[in-house]
Amino acid sequence: MTGGAGVILAIETSCDETAVAVLRGRGELLAGEVASQVELHNRFGGVVPEVASRNHLLALRPLMERALKSAGVRVGELAGLAATAGPGLATSLMVGFSAAKGLAVGLGKPFFAVNHLEGHLLSPFFGGEIEPCVALVVSGGHTLLVEVRGVGDYTVLGQTRDDAAGEAFDKVAKLLGLPYPGGPEIDRRAKAGDATRFALPRSMMDSGDAAFSFSGLKTAVRYLLPKVNLEEDQTVSDLCASFQEAVVEVLVAKTIAAARECGRKLVTVSGGVSCNSRLRKRMGEACAAKGLELRMAEQGLCTDNAAMIAFVAAGRLERGEVSALTAEIAPNLALAGG
């Protein structure tokens, strides 16, 4: 079910992907463009903020023009402009946020400062109504469990105390000599691996709360390296599979426990790590076994994208909730709720 017919242009520049989307109502995606910087940052083994912001500046205007042309929408026809306010890299956030706010002022249109985490949180409902659920948001920068009671009515049940799951994937991949970004590469290599070969810790599995910790798991992999031969492809695949299984087991167990604790029958999963094939399989099996409904964000909405930012903004447009033009970026922005 889509909402009104207003068209929003949204910009997402929280990290190293420049993304622009044009959305009509809450479900008709007219255009979605992304300029990836993966190759630029691959040589450094991770994101370099100065490189990211400089390339956002180069990519944003052509990307916006392409998105509007693809959507068949003139800039004057927009009902509002939206951009990610945070969390993220300050120098990256500033590029998209300033562009969207400047356009909003110049056009006399509403401006929407959107929390990146809320974009991920609501992405499994893209185009439809938000339903009460327990949500796992798992990405390169964030790992948290949230009880969703309605739009803007959220309770963070627990989050990582150190590394996010996606960050752990990237760091372990670097230890193994695998290319950046590490998550997709570990997923690929793990398919040929034996997940039982290496006994790795399941941190905080029995902590009795919804908190996570992946730093110790990363350290356990580092301590293993002098004892194994990384020249052997099978050893690398087995390490990838063993590491991945340890992360996935914790994510699944904590999510199922949180859903049962909150009495929710719907579980959602979103964020970049939700693309992981093992997580999708294990979460599906676990939810089915417990009689829970599982809804995962579409693949195109899992990684950083502007469509999810536009979706949040479209809901606000319908409700008349406009951001002040004095709003600023917030690199450490938390997920606010009820």
Side-chain angles (χ1 to χ4, degrees):
M1 175 182 178
T2 59
V7 178
I8 286 179
L9 183 144
I11 301 172
E12 151 63 29
T13 58
S14 64
C15 191
D16 62 331
E17 305 280 58
T18 313
V20 177
V22 181
L23 181 71
R24 188 189 306 278
R26 290 192 294 115
E28 189 182 353
L29 186 60
L30 302 177
E33 301 284 345
V34 179
S36 175
Q37 296 184 27
V38 167
E39 292 302 319
L40 291 171
H41 298 280
N42 186 35
R43 74 189 76 169
F44 305 110
V47 176
V48 179
E50 293 80 3
V51 174
S53 58
R54 184 165 61 248
N55 281 279
H56 284 312
L57 284 168
L58 294 172
L60 184 54
R61 181 169 178 172
L63 209 64
M64 290 171 60
E65 292 173 348
R66 190 157 74 240
L68 287 166
K69 183 177 180 180
S70 176
V73 174
R74 293 191 297 271
V75 69
E77 297 173 334
L78 295 171
L81 287 301
T84 303
L89 300 174
T91 51
S92 289
L93 288 166
M94 185 62 72
V95 176
F97 195 82
S98 299
K101 188 194 286 190
L103 276 171
V105 171
L107 295 168
K109 303 289 185 178
F111 173 64
F112 303 93
V114 177
N115 187 319
H116 181 83
L117 290 174
E118 188 174 20
H120 277 308
L121 182 69
L122 301 186
S123 61
F125 300 104
F126 186 85
E129 302 295 336
I130 312 306
E131 300 174 35
C133 65
V134 162
L136 172 67
V137 178
V138 57
S139 67
H142 309 279
T143 301
L144 64 161
L145 279 165
V146 182
E147 183 180 14
V148 177
R149 289 177 292 275
V151 176
D153 189 2
Y154 318 125
T155 297
V156 176
L157 303 172
Q159 54 194 316
T160 183
R161 294 183 176 176
D162 39 62
D163 291 351
E167 182 182 2
F169 268 98
D170 286 340
K171 287 179 176 178
V172 167
K174 191 171 184 178
L175 289 174
L176 299 179
L178 302 177
Y180 172 86
E185 188 65 17
I186 286 179
D187 190 5
R188 185 183 71 81
R189 294 294 296 265
K191 289 180 172 65
D194 176 3
T196 66
R197 179 175 173 186
F198 298 103
L200 294 172
R202 271 64 170 163
S203 302
M204 300 190 72
M205 179 71 93
D206 302 312
S207 61
D209 56 26
F212 300 91
S213 173
F214 296 106
S215 180
L217 174 59
K218 174 197 65 185
T219 301
V221 173
R222 179 183 287 119
Y223 286 157
L224 264 178
L225 297 187
K227 306 172 186 177
V228 301
N229 182 7
L230 293 183
E231 297 297 317
E232 297 175 353
D233 283 347
Q234 189 58 52
T235 296
V236 174
S237 293
D238 291 347
L239 259 173
C240 286
S242 299
F243 165 77
Q244 178 176 267
E245 198 68 17
V247 174
V248 167
E249 192 173 319
V250 172
L251 291 174
V252 170
K254 293 267 187 177
T255 302
I256 298 300
R260 299 182 73 183
E261 179 72 21
C262 294
R264 298 299 180 189
K265 291 296 185 181
L266 175 62
V267 167
T268 66
V269 185
S270 57
V273 179
S274 68
C275 291
N276 181 273
S277 62
R278 187 61 176 163
L279 175 59
R280 295 179 87 88
K281 182 175 187 295
R282 287 290 304 276
M283 191 70 79
E285 292 170 345
C287 285
K290 299 298 182 181
L292 302 171
E293 180 188 350
L294 173 63
R295 191 173 304 173
M296 304 190 83
E298 296 177 12
Q299 292 276 357
L301 296 175
C302 291
T303 52
D304 290 350
N305 65 89
M308 67 182 187
I309 303 303
F311 178 59
V312 174
R316 292 190 187 165
L317 178 64
E318 287 182 354
R319 299 187 299 275
E321 299 171 2
V322 179
S323 298
L325 291 175
T326 53
E328 298 291 348
I329 62 167
N332 298 313
L333 184 63
L335 183 66

